[in-house]
Amino acid sequence: MAETTEGCSMPKQLGDLIEGVVSPSACAFITKQTEFGAMRSDTPEEREARVRLYGTIFAVDGTLAESGSAPPVQGRANIENSLRTLLEAFPTFRFTPVKIVVNGDAVFYEAANEAVIHGRMVRYPAVYRVVLKDGEVTQGRRYHDRTEWFRPLENDGLRELFAGVGDDCPRPGPAFTGPGLTAPVTDPGCHLAYLGRLSGAMADVRLAPDQEAGEFREYRGTVRAKGRTIDFGIVVGTGSGVLRYYFDTLPLSYDDAEMAALFTKLITGAAPPAR
């Protein structure tokens, strides 16, 4: 259960979903992040309202990075523009909090994400890790598998790093889940096979511990994949009796030119909101 400062109502609203001492700075972030995740953006006016709210989450010189590949987006204005493009592609994007853990100026916000893409509902988990100063995000990172965005567009042609790993896993053991799995798996042999696929997709791995809070641990650095060295990160969650991995398989399966082609297809081919 979270310890909260006076005047912060969000921990009471979310109850046991929040752990740690919720400072005024953390309260400001959690409140705006939760409001942003629930907002609709079906119309241009609604999308712009979401963009403006999201911008207020970040410091003027704040940064936002994905869990792999591209350099961080620098500055509030560029972060707003990046979100504007995303919402134009799939305006039904929303999320709800699953677990939020605060450790001083660091917050891990675990969420259940969803969006209609190319006429199909896509659901995927994410962790948003931020560092705060005076109620604003100075450094934000998103840990989720962007490969899920392209499933409705690529159908059976999508490259699946962990294809078949969870198909035959009858033995009991500690449960784990991560990108490429549709449900937790308990078979230790399948767990080893999963980690083997991950390590086999990378070389020259230089990851080191970064932020941590409660059940969440972040590892950040560089790896070599698909012929280039990329920024990369993994968040590991250990709560709820399930070991959970959060990272992006997209830059491990596709090179930069292939990713650019996929994003062009996504931006130009995503369906309008379902009515």
Side-chain angles (χ1 to χ4, degrees):
M1 176 69 70
E3 298 179 38
T4 181
T5 52
E6 186 176 354
C8 182
S9 62
M10 188 54 65
K12 293 181 181 179
Q13 295 179 34
L14 297 180
D16 290 342
L17 296 186
I18 303 181
E19 291 183 359
V21 179
V22 181
S23 65
S25 190
C27 181
F29 165 71
I30 294 168
T31 300
K32 290 181 179 180
Q33 178 82 347
T34 303
E35 182 181 351
F36 166 76
M39 292 176 75
R40 299 190 66 85
S41 46
D42 298 331
T43 67
E45 294 77 16
E46 289 174 332
R47 288 196 289 275
E48 195 58 30
R50 281 190 93 179
V51 169
R52 288 196 298 270
L53 173 62
Y54 196 66
T56 67
I57 293 176
F58 290 85
V60 171
D61 59 350
T63 63
L64 176 62
E66 296 290 352
S67 59
S69 66
V73 181
Q74 302 278 344
R76 179 187 293 162
N78 290 327
I79 291 170
E80 289 178 345
N81 286 334
S82 176
L83 175 65
R84 193 173 284 113
T85 300
L86 177 70
L87 291 181
E88 287 173 357
F90 35 97
T92 53
F93 169 71
R94 280 186 282 280
F95 60 78
T96 55
V98 174
K99 189 72 176 181
I100 304 166
V101 184
V102 183
N103 180 16
D105 292 328
V107 180
F108 287 76
Y109 189 112
E110 184 180 22
N113 291 11
E114 66 175 40
V116 175
I117 302 175
H118 206 60
R120 285 173 52 187
M121 177 62 75
V122 176
R123 294 183 172 90
Y124 58 98
V127 168
Y128 303 97
R129 197 283 283 151
V130 301
V131 174
L132 303 166
K133 182 178 180 181
D134 299 328
E136 296 178 328
V137 174
T138 59
Q139 183 196 70
R141 290 174 179 164
R142 294 189 291 217
Y143 288 89
H144 57 106
D145 188 12
R146 291 178 296 169
T147 301
E148 295 299 325
W149 293 354
F150 304 99
R151 197 171 299 284
L153 285 78
E154 295 299 293
N155 297 315
D156 295 335
L158 193 67
R159 294 176 191 168
E160 303 277 5
L161 181 59
F162 300 107
V165 166
D167 289 349
D168 184 20
C169 302
R171 293 183 297 175
F176 81 98
T177 190
L181 298 176
T182 58
V185 173
T186 61
D187 193 314
C190 291
H191 197 168
L192 287 175
Y194 185 91
L195 295 177
R197 292 273 186 93
L198 177 60
S199 63
M202 304 182 295
D204 195 20
V205 177
R206 299 176 184 270
L207 301 181
D210 199 331
Q211 300 293 328
E212 63 179 68
E215 66 187 65
F216 293 106
R217 300 290 183 275
E218 177 190 35
Y219 301 88
R220 192 76 183 186
T222 61
V223 302
R224 188 158 182 80
K226 303 299 290 186
R228 84 286 202 212
T229 298
I230 58 173
D231 292 332
F232 195 74
I234 297 174
V235 164
V236 180
T238 56
S240 306
V242 180
L243 182 65
R244 306 183 306 286
Y245 299 109
Y246 294 90
F247 57 90
D248 190 6
T249 68
L250 190 66
L252 304 180
S253 300
Y254 295 86
D255 64 27
D256 291 341
E258 291 170 327
M259 287 173 58
L262 284 172
F263 276 103
T264 297
K265 188 174 182 180
L266 176 71
I267 298 303
T268 58
R275 297 294 185 182

